Amino acid sequence: MEFYQLQYFMYVAKYENITKAAHELRVGQPAVSKAVKALEGELQVQLLQRHGKKIQLTREGRLLATRALPLLSNLEAVKEELKLFGENREVIKLNILSCNSLLADIIRKFKELEPGVMFIITEQREKTDWDLCIRSAAPEIQYTNGIRILEEKICLASKKGTWLDERDTISLGELKRERFIVLRRGAQLRNMAEAKFHEARVVPDISFECDTLYIVQQLTEQGLGITFWPEYSWGKSDKVKLTPIEEDMRRAVYLLHQSDHKSSQAVLRFSIFIQEYIKGMI
C-alpha cells in the first residue's frame, strides 16, 4: 500500500466526491480514481460505491477511513515537527489536563521572555506524545516522573447575590435543594465530588453535566446552578462567590515530565518557569 493511495482515498472519503478531492489535492481526477482503484485491488475489497456521479463509502471503506485517520493525523503532525526542527526552533509539546485557566497567562509571560519557542498544545488524556503534562489528582497520589506544583481546596461556587454570600463555610448537607453543575462522569473532580456526596449521604440535584470546565464556569456565572471550583487552578471570577466546604475537599496538581527521554533545555526552562509562577501566585 502506497502512502499517496491512502491519502487520496481519505480525501475522497472526506468529501465523497472525486472532483472535490482532486481539487483539494491539486491533482487531476484520473490520478485520484486510479489511486483508489489500485488501493481496492491491493486490499481486495470495494471501498467506494459509485452511483453515477455520486459516491458513497462501503462498510469496508468506512472502516478503513476510521482506522487511517489517526495515522494520517500523526504523520501530518510529524511533518510539521520536522519542519520546525529543520528551522532549529525549540519546541515544547504540552498536554494540559488541569490549570487550563492559568496556562494562557503562564505561556504569554514565558513567550515575552522567549518569543522563539514554539508550543504544541493538546488536551487529551490518552495522548502520550508530550514533553510536559499538567494534571490533577488526589493529594495522596505520587508520580515518579512528576512534581507537585500546587495543592488547593475545592470550594463551592455560586453566582454572587445568593444566600451563600453570607456564609463563611458550607456543608454538603445544606445543599440538598440546590441545582448542581458538574463535569462529565470519570473526570477527577467529578469523582471526588461523588465520593464526598456518598459520605455525606446526599443525593445532589444535577441539572447540568458538561464536558469542559469552561462551560461549567459560564453556567455558574449565569446563576443556573452551583458547582465545585478549585480555588487556584480555575482562576477567579468577579461574578462568583467561592465558599469553603466543611467536608474539606482538596486536590493536588502535578507537572509531569516524560520518563523515557531526556528533556530539552527549553522544556526544562519552561518547567522551572511554571513552578515559579505558581509559587508567586500562591
Side-chain angles (χ1 to χ4, degrees), residues 59-254:
R59 182 179 63 179
E60 293 82 1
R62 290 195 298 272
L63 175 62
L64 178 60
T66 301
R67 296 293 177 85
L69 184 59
L71 171 64
L72 291 179
S73 298
N74 287 336
L75 287 174
E76 289 299 321
V78 169
K79 283 170 56 180
E80 191 63 29
E81 287 181 38
L82 289 174
K83 178 181 177 182
L84 293 171
F85 286 130
E87 296 171 354
N88 293 319
R89 295 189 65 180
E90 293 182 296
V91 178
I92 299 174
K93 290 183 283 187
L94 183 62
N95 194 20
I96 305 175
L97 305 180
S98 187
C99 290
N100 308 57
S101 300
L102 299 178
L103 258 296
D105 190 54
I106 293 175
I107 292 172
R108 178 184 63 81
K109 291 183 177 179
F110 183 79
K111 289 282 284 184
E112 290 175 356
L113 298 174
E114 302 200 34
V117 174
M118 167 75 179
F119 282 87
I120 299 175
I121 301 172
T122 56
E123 187 182 359
Q124 302 176 30
R125 291 189 176 278
E126 67 279 3
K127 192 172 181 63
T128 58
D129 181 25
W130 43 261
D131 298 311
L132 294 171
C133 178
I134 299 176
R135 65 169 304 157
S136 61
E140 62 270 16
I141 298 294
Q142 298 291 333
Y143 292 98
T144 57
N145 61 327
I147 302 167
R148 182 181 297 197
I149 58 175
L150 177 64
E151 184 170 327
E152 58 186 348
K153 291 187 295 186
I154 309 300
C155 299
L156 186 77
S158 57
K159 183 180 179 180
K160 289 183 178 178
T162 72
W163 65 277
L164 287 163
D165 287 359
E166 301 177 0
R167 298 297 299 272
D168 295 326
T169 63
I170 193 75
S171 69
L172 295 180
E174 298 176 81
L175 302 171
K176 294 179 180 179
R177 296 185 179 181
E178 298 295 320
R179 294 171 298 176
F180 277 86
I181 305 164
V182 297
L183 288 168
R184 59 172 174 77
R185 288 186 180 277
Q188 186 265 338
L189 189 58
R190 173 73 179 272
N191 293 339
M192 183 183 298
E194 288 183 344
K196 289 296 183 180
F197 279 132
H198 180 73
E199 291 176 10
R201 298 183 179 181
V202 173
V203 178
D205 177 5
I206 296 177
S207 294
F208 297 93
E209 182 177 289
C210 311
D211 279 340
T212 61
L213 68 87
Y214 173 76
I215 300 299
V216 173
Q217 291 172 317
Q218 292 293 305
L219 293 175
T220 306
E221 289 178 347
Q222 294 298 320
L224 295 175
I226 60 177
T227 192
F228 295 106
W229 189 301
E231 62 176 330
Y232 295 121
S233 60
W234 279 24
K236 302 295 183 183
S237 171
D238 294 336
K239 300 177 182 179
V240 169
K241 163 72 164 34
L242 298 184
T243 305
I245 299 170
E246 294 176 6
E247 282 78 2
D248 191 30
M249 294 173 61
R250 294 178 179 271
R251 74 173 187 175
V253 177
Y254 296 87

